[in-house]
Amino acid sequence: MIDFHCHLDLFDDPQQVASACERAGIYVLSVTTTPKAWPKTAALAKGKRYIRTALGLHPELAHERFGEVSLLERLLGETRYVGEIGLDGSPAHRQHAAVQLKVFERILAASHDRGGHIYTVHSRGAADAVLTSLQKYRCASTAVLHWFSGSKTELKAAVALDCWFSVGPAMLRSEKGRALAAQMPKDRVLTETDGPFARSGKRPLTPADANVATMQLATLWSMSETEATSHIKRNLKELLSRVPGK
Ligand code: MN
């Protein structure tokens, strides 16, 4: 099972969730929302075979945390994964669009200078702008658009730009989300949960819920669950082969 976008450090008991993932053999990309969270969050993966940590600065925090971009730049050499990064153009956050863009592009430029990373990218209400920035710094990086919610035209543009996608149970619950997922190239799709932010009713999703996304994808792809599981695993291998480890 693969959870390619999860906020391990934001669970009530991160250590317990990390150990449960390890026991169950769940591959987790544990993303950070601020560079300052890096040391503590990276420590959660210590001694764990399947947990990787991404270095990020969430667009919703960009206006408060832009001072941490230089810390992020200094830490870039320590990881193969960068995220959560991106832009948020939804009504609550669009007043900070300018600072978000500055932060996002500074991170992309710094990563570009260091030979690229695998990105997990937030693009709510800002798919077009995210793609414009990614196009500027394509190089050796591969961007995985997490919980993509743009239009079908924007999806086509993302596919043309060689983007990958991670989809979770919350996205696949809606008809629009399923329609988008059905249009994504099967060979560029991974599962995620976005837990604990994303929920199932009142319960925060945990990495084990990536399973629900796998089942939903199996239906969309007309595959058995076993076939979908191995397909997604192959996708992950292919993605990792594109960007060398640090
Ligand atoms: Mn997230």
Side-chain angles (χ1 to χ4, degrees), residues 5-7 31 33 58 84 122 146 194-195 197:
H5 183 112
C6 161
H7 298 263
V31 307
T33 51
H58 198 290
E84 177 163 2
H122 176 112
H146 113 87
D194 204 14
F197 284 137

Side-chain angles (χ1 to χ4, degrees), residues 1-6 17 20-29 49-52 167-169 189-193 203 205-217 225-226 228-234 236-237 240:
M1 213 187 308
I2 295 162
D3 183 353
F4 205 73
H5 183 112
C6 161
V17 180
C21 290
E22 183 71 4
R23 275 197 304 278
I26 305 172
Y27 175 98
V28 178
L29 184 61
R49 283 165 300 167
Y50 307 116
I51 303 178
R52 303 290 180 269
V167 305
V189 175
L190 299 169
T191 44
E192 65 160 48
T193 65
R203 180 180 71 83
L205 295 178
T206 71
D209 292 305
N211 197 27
V212 178
T214 307
M215 286 191 292
Q216 285 159 322
L217 286 172
E225 203 189 325
T226 320
T229 302
S230 49
H231 185 86
I232 294 162
K233 215 169 155 185
R234 266 204 309 279
L236 178 63
K237 265 197 174 160
L240 299 183

